[in-house]
Each structure stands twice: as structure tokens, then as C-alpha cells.
Amino acid sequence: MAKDCRQQWWKEAKFGMFIHWGLYAIPAGEYKGRQTKSVGEWIMKHLSIPVEEYAEFAKVFNPVKFNAEEWVRLASDAGMKYIVITAKHHDGFAMFKSAADPYNIVDATPFGRDPMKELAEACRKYGLKFCFYYSQVQDWYDKNGCGYGRPDEEKDFEEYLERKCLPQLTELLTQYGDIGLIWFDTPQKCKPEHSQRIYDHVKSLQPNCIVSGRIGNQLGDYMSTGDNMLPLLPYPGDWEVPATLNDTWGFKKSDTNWKSPKQLIELLVKINSRGGNYLLNVGPTAEGEIPEACADILREIGRFMQKNGESIYGTKAAPAYPYDMDWVRFTTKPGKLYMHLLRNVGKLYLLIGNTFRRAYYLETGEPFEYTLTAQPASGTHRLVAELPETLPNELDTVVCFEMNEEDVRFETLDTL
Ligand code: FHN
């Protein structure tokens, strides 16, 4: 069923920062000489680290280089409008002050600070929405949590819900001001009544807080796709793609397989042109830093967004998008259609209706050169453009067409 998140800010935001940060940043993909082949935040499971051994990481977790303002400024510079950070991932460790469970960053580490408080303040200062990720079912530290090392039949999930999950959600929704959304994850065998309880609990504390689709049992306010996936067919409701910048969520020192700024901008535009939001992940180190290579990439995206943000924020999917053309994408706003040229194809053809007024390069305002020929048979015009040898922005050259957005059709050189 198509869902509507009912929050205008989220529909307009289009681009957010996901942050996976927790104890797993200490081993960073390697433990006692063994490397995990998978994502960093799953190291406890994948390398079968016993709970007591993993919990030892808390005693040395001291991210003294953590600077909330720097992270938020980076997200803002990259053009991201919201931040979703792991308050508690599957390892069960709370990255916030929790009276409900002492296994948390304030009570169990030498660091002793609550980074969520600092991030909430920084987000307010820079005008970003602050949001939490919360693993509502999986908890490898808790004897009644899913994934803890004993048979599920012996566990009492109700007890877990009452003692840890709901009280911690109360803390998250009362200690940090307005929360944009809670990003639940891996509902697994969560029963419908449990998902409903969690959903109602969030809304009872903050009615405007959005609930992600991964709360399970079809209850979320919008659809969250699979990791790094996007729907192939048009999806009529609100949706979002959670995605990695390299191949892990939590920091892994061996993973430097960063996507380039161009690849990331192409993904952003691809997702936006189909109507979705892009939630792009960073995995900070155990010292509290976002890796510099990753920060550089985000800043380059930001330079593109500064000049071309109008073609991203608040846009909608193109009425019909050409699936098989990866050199062009469209986003729309009332009265405007943005053509994103991702590669130079030399010459392009558009069938364009009578509402067309003018076309210009978005970042320079320079006119976009073309010839227009009336097509009496179809009542349209054929627009032919010879592209300059060098496009103004090799990352993505955005051309703005002022016209009714439904009034364009693409012509290719293919004949029937
Ligand atoms: O198991 C998690 C994973 O660690 C990560 O948090 C991603 C992010 O979407 N969600 C789960 C797998 O889908």
C-alpha cells in the first residue's frame, strides 16, 4: 500500500545523512587478527565475539575528536537536510544517556558525554532535522533481544519491549527536543501488535515524528527500500533509499571503496527523478571523526548542490522517466522541468508542448541553445539541441525548461 509520510519537510528534503556509529568502530572490521568479510557494524555476529568480550570495547571507547558541529556542518555543506544516527544498533549499545539500561555511552565509557545532545543542538543551530535510528527487535546484548545467543523460544520479547525498547524510545523522544523521524530496522518476527505498540508510543510522545517503513507489519509512514536498492516501477507513495558511500555502514578501516562524487550525484538524481529520498551513510571512526576522504567527497557534492539545489529540493518524479537512458534524468516542480545531463550525447531531441517558454542552464542562467520546429501532425514542437563540446558541469549539467512539466516527451534516434 502506498504511504504518505504526511510531513512536508521530509518530502522536500530529498537528501539526508545516515550515520552508523557505535562500539563496532573500535575493531573497525578486524578482531584478534581476523577480518570480517561483511559490514563493520555486524562484526560481533560475524566473528562470533562473545557478549562479554564485545562489551569490553565500551571501557575504552573515548572518541575525543568528536565534534558535533563539524559533523552537522559537513552534512549541511553537502546539501543534506536531515541526519539519522544510530541511537542503538543491533549490538544493543546505546549511544545516548539511558536510565533504562546502563550499557550506554555516558555510563559505560570513559568518554562520558552524550553525543546525541550535542548533535541535537548542532542540528538546531544549522537548521537540519535530527532523527534517530533504533534497532527495535535485534539486540545481541540483551537476553530477551533478538539475536542474543539463546533460542528465541526461550525469550520474552514483551519483557524486552517494556523494560528496554519503549523506555529508551521515551528517552529519545523526550531528551533531545523535536525528532524528525525514528528509523526502525530489521523488524524480523515482530508481531503486528508489537509494531503497533511501538508506532503508537512514538506518536503519543511526538505526533509529528515520522516512523520509517522498517517498523514492520506495513505500519511505517513511508516505504524504506532495501539497502542500496530502488524501485524499478513507479511507487506512488513516499519512499527512501538507505545507501552506503563505500561498502559498509559502520566504520571499517580496510574499506576505502568510496563512490565518486559523480557516481553519488548520479544516484541522487536517479532516486529523486523517480520520486525518492536518498539517505547516504557515513561511518565515523572510534576517535569520533568522519574519514577525511569521505568528507571531501561530500563537500564536492555540496558544491554541486549549492548551484543546482533548485533541481533537487522539493522536486517530484518526472511524469514518465526514461528507464533505459542513463545519460539523462528529469525532476520537476510546478511550471519547471529540470533535465539532468549526466553524459554528453552530442545531440538531443525532445518533443515539447505549447506551454514551453524558455530553457537555460540552471547554474549559470545562460540560455540553452536549440532549434524548434512545429510538428503540426502531433500539435507539438520538436526541439533539437546540439550540445557544446564541454558541458558546464561534468558532474551533472542541469537545464531548466520553463513549461508545464507534463508537456515534454523524449525522442530518441530509434525508429520503430
Ligand atoms: O542490519 C542492518 C545493517 O547493519 C544496517 O543498519 C542497514 C541500514 O539500512 N540496515 C540493516 C540491514 O538492512
Side-chain angles (χ1 to χ4, degrees):
M1 195 194 1
K3 293 274 185 160
D4 179 343
C5 81
R6 284 180 232 114
Q7 291 292 335
Q8 199 55 31
W9 74 261
W10 189 89
K11 291 171 191 288
E12 287 176 9
K14 294 290 165 194
F15 192 28
M17 177 183 270
F18 213 174
I19 304 179
H20 276 67
W21 195 41
L23 296 181
Y24 38 80
I26 297 176
E30 185 186 333
Y31 187 64
K32 292 189 173 166
R34 286 185 305 148
Q35 306 270 344
T36 176
K37 292 196 184 74
S38 184
V39 286
E41 73 283 2
W42 272 75
I43 193 166
M44 177 177 170
K45 267 276 154 228
H46 291 152
L47 294 188
S48 308
I49 306 175
V51 178
E52 315 71 50
E53 269 182 50
Y54 186 86
E56 289 292 308
F57 290 137
K59 297 188 183 148
V60 293
F61 191 57
N62 197 13
V64 287
K65 293 189 179 156
F66 168 69
N67 181 324
E69 284 220 9
E70 270 175 24
W71 289 14
V72 173
R73 214 169 29 235
L74 178 64
S76 174
D77 287 350
M80 294 157 151
K81 300 291 186 190
Y82 58 114
I83 287 182
V84 182
I85 183 163
T86 45
K88 174 178 82 73
H89 202 264
H90 310 329
D91 65 358
F93 186 74
M95 292 292 285
F96 59 100
K97 165 81 181 154
S98 174
D101 192 319
Y103 193 47
N104 72 72
I105 189 163
V106 178
D107 297 318
T109 75
F111 187 54
R113 275 159 52 191
D114 183 343
M116 301 303 161
K117 265 229 139 73
E118 297 173 31
L119 283 166
E121 273 160 31
C123 279
R124 268 192 291 278
K125 179 167 169 188
Y126 288 91
L128 272 76
K129 293 281 178 186
F130 187 50
C131 314
F132 290 122
Y133 170 110
Y134 190 86
S135 173
Q136 75 273 34
V137 173
Q138 287 205 71
D139 190 321
W140 307 331
Y141 179 80
D142 196 287
K143 63 183 188 333
N144 282 324
C146 198
Y148 180 84
R150 63 180 183 135
D152 276 352
E153 310 78 67
E154 290 172 17
K155 292 178 192 162
D156 183 350
F157 184 66
E158 286 277 340
E159 194 275 338
Y160 176 77
L161 199 63
E162 293 299 337
R163 176 180 44 79
K164 185 163 179 181
C165 175
L166 295 178
Q168 286 201 328
L169 286 171
T170 303
E171 291 167 348
L172 292 173
L173 290 159
T174 54
Q175 291 176 176
Y176 305 96
D178 285 350
I179 299 305
L181 65 88
I182 306 261
W183 215 95
F184 293 105
D185 200 5
T186 61
Q188 301 194 327
K189 291 185 202 145
C190 196
K191 294 186 182 143
E193 61 266 33
H194 293 144
S195 297
Q196 188 73 56
R197 282 258 294 289
I198 298 170
Y199 183 91
D200 293 344
H201 189 69
V202 172
K203 297 288 177 178
S204 72
L205 292 163
Q206 291 204 24
N208 289 332
C209 180
I210 299 170
V211 171
S212 83
R214 295 199 192 179
I215 191 169
N217 297 296
Q218 314 285 318
L219 273 177
D221 296 328
Y222 68 86
M223 194 262 280
S224 169
T225 69
D227 298 345
N228 294 301
M229 308 258 201
L230 77 169
L232 190 57
L233 295 175
Y235 178 79
D238 293 325
W239 56 278
E240 178 193 58
V241 179
T244 49
L245 214 149
N246 44 357
D247 298 317
T248 181
W249 303 91
F251 179 68
K252 216 176 139 180
K253 56 178 172 264
S254 62
D255 187 344
T256 53
N257 191 25
W258 314 111
K259 293 172 191 68
S260 69
K262 178 153 178 72
Q263 283 174 304
L264 293 163
I265 288 168
E266 288 194 14
L267 286 169
L268 174 67
V269 170
K270 184 174 187 178
I271 293 164
N272 294 166
S273 72
R274 295 182 186 191
N277 279 16
Y278 190 25
L279 185 62
L280 181 60
N281 185 72
V282 300
T285 65
E287 289 73 43
E289 289 182 307
I290 295 176
E292 200 45 38
C294 166
D296 285 345
I297 293 167
L298 292 178
R299 284 189 206 104
E300 182 152 0
I301 296 176
R303 286 191 280 279
F304 165 82
M305 295 294 270
Q306 255 185 0
K307 292 181 267 181
N308 294 286
E310 184 194 312
S311 68
I312 302 288
Y313 307 121
T315 57
K316 294 210 158 55
Y321 39 89
Y323 284 101
D324 55 351
M325 294 187 203
D326 62 0
W327 55 271
V328 69
R329 308 269 174 216
F330 293 100
T331 51
T332 70
K333 268 186 191 160
K336 285 184 177 170
L337 181 121
Y338 302 98
M339 178 170 69
H340 299 258
L341 293 172
L342 304 171
R343 267 170 274 297
N344 195 339
V345 285
K347 196 165 186 176
L348 61 88
Y349 303 81
L350 297 169
L351 271 189
I352 217 160
N354 289 329
T355 63
F356 172 68
R357 288 181 296 282
R358 66 184 187 117
Y360 53 91
Y361 291 104
L362 186 61
E363 60 175 80
T364 60
E366 297 286 316
F368 178 68
E369 306 287 341
Y370 56 82
T371 57
L372 211 56
T373 327
Q375 303 285 292
S378 58
T380 57
H381 294 82
R382 168 181 270 203
L383 180 149
V384 181
E386 301 265 5
L387 299 175
E389 212 158 280
T390 315
L391 289 172
N393 193 330
E394 53 137 7
L395 297 171
D396 171 8
T397 291
V398 185
V399 180
C400 176
F401 290 88
E402 288 187 355
M403 58 190 285
N404 287 357
E405 59 272 24
E406 71 278 5
D407 236 6
V408 73
R409 268 166 281 159
F410 227 88
E411 274 194 301
T412 66
L413 288 172
D414 289 348
T415 48
L416 289 177

